[in-house]
Amino acid sequence: MLFTICLLSLGAAKLTAQEIRANNPKEKKVLLLIAALPEVKERAAHIKRVSQGKNQITLMVSAEPELSIPYYQVNVNDNAPSYKNYYQFAVDPKTYEIFYYDAVKNRQYTLAEWRKIRKQQ
């Protein structure tokens, strides 16, 4: 069964909506952790603002933990019509530690490493 929840959060003094797509309570917890990241909240507010409220951020688990990749893989996209992928994260299912995945470099970073790189750009 697919749960779809609209999560309302306060960000930059504006109300933003994020769509959470989870298949079970553990996925929901993972997605709520990602939704709480400041970068995701900022992106959600930006998408809502530039689309004049027509688009929002969608968070979904693209892969569950398995032997070769033992993390939940999470995509942060905007919704139709573009479905542009803004961020990819990996979440440890045991500790719930969040990592940023850079698909271009095929490299995973801790959030601290990723934020440091972002500041340097």
Side-chain angles (χ1 to χ4, degrees):
M1 174 191 270
L2 178 68
F3 298 102
T4 302
I5 302 163
C6 282
L7 169 72
L8 298 177
S9 61
L10 289 174
K14 290 191 177 189
L15 200 58
T16 61
Q18 298 167 343
E19 187 177 349
I20 306 290
R21 293 184 181 174
N23 292 314
N24 58 56
K26 196 160 188 169
E27 281 187 11
K28 181 179 173 184
K29 180 177 180 173
V30 165
L31 294 174
L32 289 172
L33 289 170
I34 298 297
L37 293 174
E39 295 85 357
V40 173
K41 287 181 178 183
E42 288 171 18
R43 178 58 61 180
H46 174 76
I47 295 301
K48 186 173 182 182
R49 185 176 59 253
V50 299
S51 71
Q52 299 176 346
K54 295 178 184 166
N55 290 341
Q56 66 185 17
I57 289 290
T58 300
L59 305 166
M60 59 189 286
V61 173
S62 59
E64 292 188 3
E66 58 181 46
L67 202 50
S68 62
I69 302 175
Y71 300 100
Y72 282 100
Q73 297 170 58
V74 178
N75 288 336
V76 178
N77 307 325
D78 61 11
N79 58 2
S82 70
Y83 295 105
K84 182 176 179 187
N85 189 13
Y86 293 103
Y87 304 121
Q88 289 181 283
F89 294 99
V91 181
D92 186 308
K94 295 176 186 158
T95 65
Y96 292 100
E97 182 177 4
I98 300 169
F99 300 90
Y100 173 77
Y101 175 70
D102 184 330
V104 173
K105 295 181 180 175
N106 192 26
R107 183 157 189 268
Q108 189 167 289
Y109 298 93
T110 66
L111 287 180
E113 291 170 331
W114 176 56
R115 288 172 174 150
K116 185 177 178 180
I117 290 167
R118 285 175 48 116
K119 283 185 180 181
Q120 294 171 351
Q121 293 176 345

